[in-house]
Structures are given as C-alpha cells and as structure tokens.
Amino acid sequence: MLVRVARFWAVANRVSPGTSVVDSHFALYSILPLTVGALRKCPLVVHFQGPWAGESTAAGHGLASVKAKQLVERLVYRRAAEIVTLSAAFRRLLVERYGISPWHIHVIPPGVDLTHFKPGDWAMARQGLNLPCDAWIAVVVRRLVSRMGVDVLLRAWAQLRPRSVSPILLVVGTGPERARLEALTTELGIEDTVRFLGSLGDEALVDCYRAADISIVPSLALEGFGLVVLEALASGTPVVGTDAGGLPEVLAGLDKGLIVRAGDRDALARRLLGAIDGSEPLPGPAACRSHAERFTWSEAAHRNLAVYERAVRPRHRSRLRVVYLDHCARLSGGELAMLRLLPALSEVDAHVILAEDGPLAAQLTQAGISVEVLPMAEAARGMHRDRLRVGHFPAHTAVAAATHAIRLRSRLAHLRPDLVHTNSLKAALYGGVASRAAGIPAIWHIRDRVEEDYLPRPAVSLIRLLARHIPSAVVANSRSTLATLHLPAGQGTVVPSPIGPYLTCASPRAPHRPLQVGMVGRIAPWKGQHIFVDAFSRAFPNGPEQATIIGSPMFGTDEETYEKALHRQINDHGLEARIKLVGFRHDVAAELDRLDVLVHASIIPEPFGQVVVEGMSAGLAVVAAGDGGPAEIVTHGVDGLLYPPGDACALTTALGRLAGDGNLRQALGSAARKRAEEFRPQRVAEEVTEVYREVLRQA
Ligand code: UDP
C-alpha cells in the first residue's frame, strides 16, 4: 500500500502542471487524488455509478465494512466539484442519502455502441445458439446477484402456460446466485424452459439479443441506468423492465407499457402473457432501434466536457437556482401543473422538495427534474382543511409543522437557491416561513381559492394576512384566485397553468357514432359530478348517448363516500350501462380522443380548471361552469359554452343544444383548439421566469 501511495504521489506531481480536472469513476479511487500529491489542487469530478455502501448492505456484508465505505463515499462526494450520474433516479439517491447539493449533479445518460449492437439475421442467430425457430424466446442478461430480481422473473416464468407457443428463457451472466437460481428452476418445475448460458463474449451476446423476442430486466433496486436495456434495443429487441432506479427513464420514452412494478411477479407474468398473446403488443425492431439511437457516446462525451468546463470555472453561472416546495406527492391538479411547468423553464435549474413520497416524485424523476423527499409528519401533512377550526388546531399538528419548517430552513440554508417557489397552500405556509428564516426570497404560487367557500374562516384570514408579509411575490392561476387573497391593488401576478404538451394534436372523431360526453377531474363533491349525472339523465333519458366520468377520489373519506353516492345516483336513474366511472387515467389525452363534448361542473368557482383547457386543445365542445378560471378561459358561444355553476337545468339545455347541432360542436371545437394554444408550457414558463427576474431585481 505504501509503495502504491508513493508511486501515486510521484505520478500526481509529474502530471499536475498540465492537468485541469481529475475525473474519478469510483469513490475509493478518489481518495488518493484528494489527499496525496499535487493533483489535490485540481477540481475533482466524480462519476457516481452506484452507492458502494448500499450495494455492500444488499450483498449482506458486515456493518464495519458498510460504515467504512459510507465514510469514504461521504468524504469524496462532498469534496467533489461536480458529480455525474447516469440517471435522475441516482441523482435523487445522492441528494437524499448523501445530502449532496443538486446544483452540482449532472445527469448524463450513457451511449451504446450502435455499430456492434445492431439488428441482424434472426434465424441465423437462433441456429447459432441451437434454438428452435418456433419458440418464444426471452433473454435476461445480468450479473446474478439478488438485487437483479432474476428469482422474481423465474417465479413469473413459472406462471406462464401459453398454449400457442413454447417459451424459452435464456439467462446470460454469472454470479454468486447462480446455483440458487438453478435450484429454483428445478423447484418450480421449469428447468426444461430455462437455459443458463453463463458469461458470453460480445459476439454471442448480440446473437442472444437478435434471437430473442424480448429482453427482460427484472431489477429490484439500485439500478443506475441499465446498459443492457440500450444494448437490447439497439439490437432491435424490445425490453420489459421494472420501475427500479433509472430503468423507467430509458423505457418511458419508448412505451410506458414496458414498465412493471419491481418485485411484482404477477404483474410481470401478466405483461409477458400480453406480449405472447398480442393483447399488449411490444414495439417493433425499428422503433426499438431508433429509440436506442438517441443514446450516443459522442453526445455523452460532449456533455461530460461541459461538466469539466464548469468544474474549472465554478464562478460562471447563468441559470437561476430555484427550489420548489409541495406538501403533496399525489397527481392532483396543482402538482400536475408544476410537473408540466418545470421542464419548460429553460433558464432555471429546478429542485423539488416534497413532504411525502408518491407518484409525483417518480414522474418528476422520469421528466429529468431533480427531486428529494423531506418527510413531514402525517399530523401536519394530512391535516385536512375541513378540520381546521378556531381553538381546535391540534398541538401535535402545530409541533409537526414547526419541526418541518425548522428542518426545511436548514436544508434551504445548505442549498442556497436564488429563490423558493411554493406550489401548494400548505407549502406556502411552512415553506414561506422556512425560506424567510433562511434569508431566501419566496414566491407563493396560489392555485386554490382563499375563500370561505373552500377553506375555514381562520385559515382564510391567516393566509390573507401572511400573503402580505411573507412572500416576495404572489402568483395566482387566475384573476379570480388572485382576488380571493385581498392583496393591495397592483400586487400579485396572474399566470395560467400550462397545458400538458401531450394534448396538442387531436385526431378526427369517427362520424355516425353515439354522442360521447365526458367529465375529467378528481371525484369530489365540489367538482359536481352529481350535477353532470343529473343533467345527462335529463338531457338523454333514453337513447344511445354515452357518458364517461374520468378521475378518482384523492383526498379523504368524504370523496370516497361521494363516489359511492354517485354510483347509487347512476343506478337510481337506471343509467349504469350508459354512464361509466372509469377511475384515474394517466393518459387523459386518449380519453378525450373518444369524446365529443367535455363537461366541467364545479359548484363553487374553479380556481383555474386545467381540464377545461385540455378539452379545448383536444378540439372538443366544452361546457363549463361559468365562474372562476373557466369563465376567464372560455368565451361563451365562441370557443365553448358557459352555464351558471350548479344549475343542472342550464347544463341539461346546453347538452341538448350541442347534441342536436353538430356544426356548433365543430365550430366551438376548432375555436377552442386555437384558444388552448395560449396555454403552451413555454409561454407560461416565460411569464414565470419574468416574475423571478422581477423579484431578484428588487432583492
Ligand atoms: N387528471 C388525470 N387523470 C384523471 C383525472 C384528472 O390526469 O383521471 C388530470 C387532468 O387531466 C388535469 C388535472 O388532473 O390535468 C386536474 O386539474 P384541474 O385544474 O382541472 O383540477 P384540480 O385537480 O387542480 O382541482
């Protein structure tokens, strides 16, 4: 060891005069350049390939060994000028587990050798590997350690009993788990359909991909990226992978249906059966190849070079650093609006701090946005607005909120962003206090009405009071939302919510089919689904017209009880065959494509109403409750129809009018599509950036 250190010292001194940056690909190898010889003066760039200590724990190593590795990692990552990861999932791990500041972490996906891994002769590949032409062949290429989930795959494989084809699974790779996995195939009675091929050379590996109908990546955890995904795709072979680590980031761009939950053998078996029987087809070779072609080494090299340049010139910084706060990680409207806004903010380095983990964190990560979860105690996070009463504010809720604000203050003081942007009412309160205490200007983005028809009176008074003193600027999603804050004239900026970019092209509707009317949104009493059911049943008591209610309850038992009541209401009208509640849908665009008319039915003024803009951009005839945001978006009779909120009779009349007049539907739909253009994310992002600039000018 001493000889090695001495040699390193000599080499470091010799090369340091011409060296700008030291780039290390493993924490342990960074120790010497950080501590010995003249290279200490050079900025260090670290490529983070995975948590060394975490992998060690997963492999069952002793506590002392794990702790030592953790110590080395902490030292190295904290001293590094810049860190490169292969996926946003690993960036999150660095931020959460090692407390590294996200501003210095760069996500640079790797490339794949497109000349080596390319589609080729399928029949020859099978012949070379001695595989039958008529079999359905799957391949898994992995180091055989437990976190790779090959045992889960084997259990899923044992559930497949397709009649049409005979399946064969090729397991490529070796590792400490091999003997156990081979024993498992015997135990499961699948030894005839599983072949362990051991480690293969590069040529044979390409042949395996070419021979296979599918490549499977069943990882359970700590998957930084999954180079095997790119290799298979580049060879023209589709991949089914889990949602572990960086895998969804590679696969989602090709087809979200290729991702299954990690460790869920039943879901994996179902997905494989869907591929076999064609009910859930896999992407073809051309689509796989062209997706892989997006990942080139020259692009990766280019981006690495830019990181070196940053490490050398750390003071030069042109982008704003903004931390976004939200207490909720569910896919509710305000959270979806943030998810759509952040990728469009081209001048901002965004980092989101959520108070809980949930689907929003995963979606942000998939969109390449930096995210961390700073958990807040349920007593404060889950406090429902209806339970707030004067003199009834539970002490443990207050303590939990204050504790969170204190922790957040110290996190913000460490991150030192230029601005904090709060995205929910709760986040405005705890985040506003925390950022003030850390000396960072806060912007409140208000997406809910601060009015007694939505919040209890004490909350309304408190928020209105604090809105004047805590934030440096207030942004509201509509004029009507802004008015509820009672700010002095001229204060506050209205910025609409951006539309999801996926909704901008509507396909033509099939003629001569029964009218399809729909409603999209959370199932909640104030969203007025009951008004819609009432109006639909009156407008179309019998006939072929059909209704779809898209959305699910999200917050609490009141909404769940309301959903049950809706089912009863539909049954009472005898309309269960014509009104369907289909639950939450991720692909709202696909649902809108099936509709002719979109109804919005909130019984109190809607703060903004993203669903209204979504329906308009899909070219639908929209009928909306004419107050709040929708009344600012829709011009009655030009790009939609408005009716008095809660008035089922007026909605019945509007539905009848639209059902009987196809030309009107078309005219409203095409004007609506034009109007929806004004809510493009880029446009909204510019308005938000302008608010940032103004706040910083005044700071
Ligand atoms: N949404 C969705 N799937 C569903 C129901 C709703 O993705 O099943 C989305 C909808 O497309 C819209 C958002 O949820 O983008 C609701 O936003 P809106 O402003 O209309 O209402 P909020 O939830 O903010 O009150």
Side-chain angles (χ1 to χ4, degrees):
M1 180 67 94
L2 280 178
V3 173
R4 259 188 98 153
V5 172
R7 276 200 196 139
F8 181 85
W9 181 79
V11 171
N13 288 351
R14 196 173 69 237
V15 299
S16 83
T19 302
S20 310
V21 170
V22 174
D23 184 350
S24 149
H25 284 250
F26 182 40
L28 183 62
Y29 302 157
S30 318
I31 291 287
L32 283 179
L34 275 177
T35 52
V36 175
L39 284 178
R40 269 178 313 165
K41 295 179 202 122
C42 294
L44 175 73
V45 172
V46 176
H47 278 74
F48 175 76
Q49 317 284 14
W52 190 29
E55 293 210 17
S56 195
T57 311
H61 296 166
L63 190 65
S65 150
V66 170
K67 286 279 173 215
K69 287 170 184 166
Q70 224 164 41
L71 203 72
V72 170
E73 285 190 290
R74 265 179 211 282
L75 173 78
V76 169
Y77 303 148
R78 291 196 176 173
R79 289 282 301 277
E82 308 291 335
I83 306 186
V84 177
T85 67
L86 299 176
S87 62
F90 264 22
R91 172 174 53 197
R92 180 174 168 192
L93 201 141
L94 272 174
V95 171
E96 286 183 348
R97 203 176 285 183
Y98 299 94
I100 307 300
S101 159
W103 321 122
H104 297 290
I105 308 175
H106 309 269
V107 179
I108 305 181
V112 57
D113 184 346
L114 293 163
T115 53
H116 180 69
F117 293 99
K118 59 175 191 257
D121 191 321
W122 168 90
M124 257 179 49
R126 286 200 173 190
Q127 210 176 20
L129 290 164
N130 223 350
L131 294 166
C133 276
D134 55 354
W136 189 81
I137 295 178
V139 63
V140 54
V141 181
R142 302 263 69 182
R143 198 153 49 91
L144 300 182
V145 294
S146 59
R147 76 170 174 84
M148 299 300 187
V150 178
D151 56 335
V152 178
L153 169 59
L154 293 178
R155 289 178 202 283
W157 196 257
Q159 293 182 26
L160 303 183
R161 300 262 178 258
R163 280 191 219 108
S164 51
V165 288
S166 48
I168 296 179
L169 173 65
L170 307 177
V171 183
V172 178
T174 56
E177 288 285 294
R178 179 167 175 170
R180 199 178 66 83
L181 293 169
E182 282 183 301
L184 183 62
T185 52
T186 317
E187 192 184 305
L188 294 167
I190 51 172
E191 65 273 33
D192 293 347
T193 64
V194 181
R195 298 188 191 173
F196 285 82
L197 304 185
S199 281
L200 297 180
D202 269 5
E203 289 307 324
L205 181 60
V206 180
D207 275 342
C208 268
Y209 287 131
R210 287 177 184 163
D213 295 281
I214 188 174
S215 168
I216 304 168
V217 186
S219 309
L220 299 177
L222 302 182
E223 189 64 63
F225 186 83
L227 280 168
V228 287
V229 174
L230 287 187
E231 291 171 1
L233 294 177
S235 311
T237 307
V239 177
V240 162
T242 64
D243 59 1
L247 291 175
E249 292 167 57
V250 205
L251 284 174
L254 176 59
D255 180 348
K256 284 193 173 142
L258 299 172
I259 304 164
V260 295
R261 205 152 55 100
D264 187 340
R265 66 172 176 210
D266 298 340
L268 182 55
R270 274 198 304 278
R271 186 61 190 90
L272 297 181
L273 274 173
I276 293 172
D277 67 21
S279 60
E280 265 191 287
L282 297 167
C288 294
R289 172 74 188 181
S290 77
H291 187 64
E293 282 171 358
R294 292 166 43 187
F295 298 85
T296 65
W297 281 115
S298 64
E299 170 69 14
H302 221 73
R303 294 182 58 190
N304 271 278
L305 200 56
V307 173
Y308 295 160
E309 274 157 13
R310 247 181 84 119
V312 174
R313 275 184 282 280
R315 266 174 238 295
H316 177 73
R317 170 157 84 81
S318 58
R319 293 162 67 81
L320 289 177
R321 290 175 177 170
V322 184
V323 165
Y324 296 81
L325 301 177
D326 203 311
H327 73 283
C328 168
R330 273 157 277 181
L331 297 179
S332 180
E335 287 63 39
L336 286 170
M338 178 170 75
L339 178 63
R340 290 161 188 159
L341 170 70
L342 298 192
L345 289 166
S346 55
E347 294 173 34
V348 172
D349 280 335
H351 177 63
V352 181
I353 303 184
L354 301 174
E356 65 171 351
D357 206 348
L360 178 67
Q363 296 265 334
L364 284 164
T365 306
Q366 252 179 55
I369 305 293
S370 175
V371 61
E372 83 177 276
V373 175
L374 191 69
M376 182 191 246
E378 175 61 23
R381 194 176 40 72
M383 179 75 186
H384 197 267
R385 56 190 154 87
D386 295 342
R387 300 212 311 266
L388 284 173
R389 297 276 174 272
V390 184
H392 276 87
F393 194 76
H396 64 291
T397 301
V399 171
T403 311
H404 189 77
I406 292 167
R407 284 179 62 215
L408 183 60
R409 189 215 71 87
S410 73
R411 187 72 184 126
L412 291 174
H414 172 73
L415 292 172
R416 285 191 292 130
D418 298 308
L419 294 168
V420 168
H421 182 142
T422 65
N423 194 62
S424 64
L425 280 182
K426 276 186 191 163
L429 297 177
Y430 68 76
V433 171
S435 39
R436 268 234 142 186
I440 299 159
I443 292 161
W444 275 17
H445 202 137
I446 303 297
R447 301 182 182 279
D448 293 303
R449 287 167 62 74
V450 182
E451 196 65 82
E452 284 169 34
D453 55 14
Y454 186 71
L455 291 168
R457 186 180 298 169
V460 171
S461 312
L462 179 72
I463 295 170
R464 284 181 185 163
L465 177 73
L466 294 181
R468 291 166 179 246
H469 302 289
I470 294 269
S472 302
V474 173
V475 172
N477 56 2
S478 65
R479 289 196 301 276
S480 100
T481 303
L482 183 60
T484 65
L485 279 169
H486 293 194
L487 288 172
Q491 275 191 24
T493 310
V494 174
V495 178
S497 299
I499 185 158
Y502 55 87
L503 286 171
T504 40
C505 56
S507 41
R509 279 168 180 83
H512 314 303
R513 45 143 214 193
L515 189 81
Q516 303 286 332
V517 188
M519 215 185 134
V520 181
R522 207 166 88 217
I523 304 283
W526 73 272
K527 289 284 184 183
Q529 279 90 354
H530 61 290
I531 303 284
F532 172 53
V533 171
D534 192 9
F536 183 88
S537 68
R538 290 198 222 182
F540 315 113
N542 29 58
E545 296 80 4
Q546 304 213 318
T548 314
I549 298 178
I550 298 141
S552 64
M554 270 191 192
F555 301 108
T557 46
D558 285 0
E559 296 184 356
E560 282 156 20
T561 312
Y562 177 66
E563 188 183 36
K564 289 193 189 108
L566 276 179
H567 279 289
R568 274 199 305 276
Q569 187 188 2
I570 293 168
N571 287 352
D572 290 349
H573 287 296
L575 285 172
E576 52 277 34
R578 290 172 54 217
I579 305 184
K580 295 266 178 268
L581 274 93
V582 297
F584 186 87
R585 288 284 194 261
H586 284 279
D587 194 357
V588 169
E591 296 297 330
L592 294 177
D593 257 359
R594 291 187 202 110
L595 302 181
D596 303 292
V597 174
L598 181 82
V599 171
H600 165 267
S602 296
I603 55 175
I604 57 170
E606 179 78 42
F608 178 75
Q610 295 175 89
V611 291
V612 171
V613 185
E614 287 162 15
M616 292 171 86
S617 97
L620 302 184
V622 173
V623 199
D627 206 341
E632 296 170 33
I633 298 165
V634 173
T635 306
H636 179 67
V638 175
D639 46 27
L641 298 180
L642 296 172
Y643 68 97
D647 186 342
C649 289
L651 179 56
T652 310
T653 311
L655 286 177
R657 195 175 152 204
L658 287 173
D661 190 345
N663 290 340
L664 176 64
R665 291 202 303 271
Q666 203 158 20
L668 294 177
S670 58
R673 208 173 292 169
K674 232 184 243 135
R675 169 77 172 121
E677 282 285 296
E678 293 169 34
F679 301 90
R680 283 193 322 270
Q682 283 70 19
R683 200 173 161 159
V684 174
E686 277 162 29
E687 292 178 36
V688 171
T689 311
E690 192 43 48
V691 174
Y692 294 166
R693 285 201 202 101
E694 187 55 37
V695 169
L696 291 173
R697 264 196 295 271
Q698 287 174 7

